[in-house]
């Protein structure tokens, strides 16, 4: 069954919110241009995405694969809402979780060299209903590389849920099955997303400033 998932569209000229209106660590005071998506809105949208996923994949054992490092906060909140749904169903859905780490960025540019960090046994996904949790789809190259590796081991089905989908001229045209927000072609940090490993500790999805890019440049 093909899933038709609705998406919140964030306009190219979205003004966002003044970071001073939120609880932002003082060390990042000059490093953020704006708060693009506040944490409360992320949580509300995540709860809705979980409802869509559970409707699509109901009554199946789901093997959830979280893409690290960026996806860890989205995954944690996503799993929390899945557990809530499971507790309130007459018949809960069995779940297993696993993690895979991939890397392709240095500073604010993709290196084009997509790597799986460490070892991962893809054969454990054979015959299973796989849900990949990703924080952001940029060009789509990373997720398509991962999907290719997963599908080589014949899962029963594979779905992808991404909190963010970026509108970028570099896009390969890939669109995940479940999308939280479609955002402009801006480099975003926070809520697990980093710039050279900084900003992951922010609760909100924010646009980094030029000052921040220069300060934390590798």
């Amino acid at each position: 069954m093909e899933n038709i998932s609705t998406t919140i569209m964030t306009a190219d000229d979205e003004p966002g919110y003044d970071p001073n209106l939120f609880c932002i660590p003082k060390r990042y005071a000059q490093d953020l241009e704006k708060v693009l998506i506040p944490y409360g809105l992320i949580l509300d949208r995540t709860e809705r995405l979980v409802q869509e996923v559970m409707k699509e994949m109901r009554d199946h054992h789901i093997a959830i694969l979280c893409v690290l490092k960026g996806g860890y906060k989205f995954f944690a909140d996503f799993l929390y809402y899945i557990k809530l749904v499971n507790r309130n169903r007459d018949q809960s859905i069995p779940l297993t979780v696993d993690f895979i780490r991939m890397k392709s960025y240095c500073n604010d540019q993709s290196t084009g060299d997509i790597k799986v960090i460490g070892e991962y046994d893809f054969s454990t996904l054979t015959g299973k209903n796989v849900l990949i949790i990703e924080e952001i789809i940029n060009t789509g190259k990373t997720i398509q590389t991962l999907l290719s590796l997963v599908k080589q081991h014949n899962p029963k089905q594979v779905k992808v849920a991404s909190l963010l989908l970026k509108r970028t001229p570099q896009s390969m045209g890939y669109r995940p099955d479940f999308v939280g927000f479609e955002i402009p072609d801006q480099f975003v940090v926070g809520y697990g997303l980093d710039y050279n490993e900084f900003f992951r500790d922010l609760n909100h999805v924010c646009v980094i400033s030029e000052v921040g890019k220069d300060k934390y440049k590798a």
Side-chain angles (χ1 to χ4, degrees):
M1 181 172 62
E2 182 180 356
N3 179 71
I4 301 176
S5 177
T6 56
T7 304
I8 295 178
M9 303 287 290
T10 304
D12 290 342
D13 58 353
E14 168 62 47
Y17 305 88
D18 185 340
N20 292 321
L21 298 174
F22 297 86
C23 294
I24 301 291
K26 291 183 178 180
R27 63 184 176 278
Y28 294 144
Q30 305 301 318
D31 304 331
L32 303 173
E33 181 180 317
K34 60 186 175 183
V35 173
L36 187 64
I37 309 174
Y39 182 52
L41 183 55
I42 292 171
L43 289 181
D44 195 86
R45 182 64 182 139
T46 300
E47 184 177 9
R48 178 60 181 169
L49 283 181
V50 166
Q51 293 174 0
E52 293 179 3
V53 168
M54 297 297 268
K55 181 179 180 181
E56 175 80 9
M57 304 183 76
R58 62 184 181 273
D59 303 324
H60 296 293
H61 178 163
I62 303 175
I64 304 178
L65 181 61
C66 173
V67 182
L68 298 174
K69 295 180 182 178
Y72 80 95
K73 287 180 73 70
F74 178 46
F75 167 76
D77 288 327
F78 197 96
L79 189 60
Y80 169 78
Y81 286 116
I82 284 184
K83 290 189 291 185
L84 283 184
V85 172
N86 259 345
R87 285 206 297 264
N88 292 312
R89 287 169 57 99
D90 293 333
Q91 183 176 358
S92 62
I93 297 175
L95 302 170
T96 56
V97 299
D98 210 341
F99 304 87
I100 187 168
R101 185 180 172 193
M102 303 187 75
K103 184 175 178 62
S104 64
Y105 267 74
C106 180
N107 296 325
D108 61 347
Q109 299 294 322
S110 173
T111 63
D113 184 16
I114 299 168
K115 297 178 180 178
V116 175
I117 307 299
E119 296 183 0
Y120 184 82
D121 184 5
F122 287 95
S123 67
T124 59
L125 303 177
T126 299
K128 295 183 179 178
N129 301 285
V130 180
L131 176 64
I132 298 174
I133 300 292
E134 177 65 284
E135 175 83 351
I136 187 170
I137 305 294
N138 288 292
T139 65
K141 188 174 182 180
T142 298
I143 192 65
Q144 287 185 312
T145 298
L146 178 56
L147 283 169
S148 176
L149 292 170
V150 171
K151 289 178 179 179
Q152 288 177 18
H153 294 272
N154 301 312
K156 185 175 181 180
Q157 65 172 323
V158 185
K159 300 288 184 181
V160 177
S162 180
L163 178 67
L164 306 173
L165 174 65
K166 184 180 289 188
R167 294 188 300 275
T168 172
Q170 287 75 44
S171 172
M172 300 177 67
Y174 173 79
R175 189 175 187 89
D177 303 280
F178 307 95
V179 181
F181 303 87
E182 186 172 310
I183 64 172
D185 190 14
Q186 299 172 317
F187 196 87
V188 291
V189 295
Y191 195 63
L193 294 171
D194 76 303
Y195 178 82
N196 294 329
E197 297 302 326
F198 292 93
F199 301 102
R200 292 193 195 275
D201 53 326
L202 288 171
N203 283 335
H204 319 287
V205 172
C206 305
V207 176
I208 189 173
S209 67
E210 292 303 319
V211 171
K213 288 181 182 179
D214 185 63
K215 181 188 295 187
Y216 299 107
K217 187 175 182 180

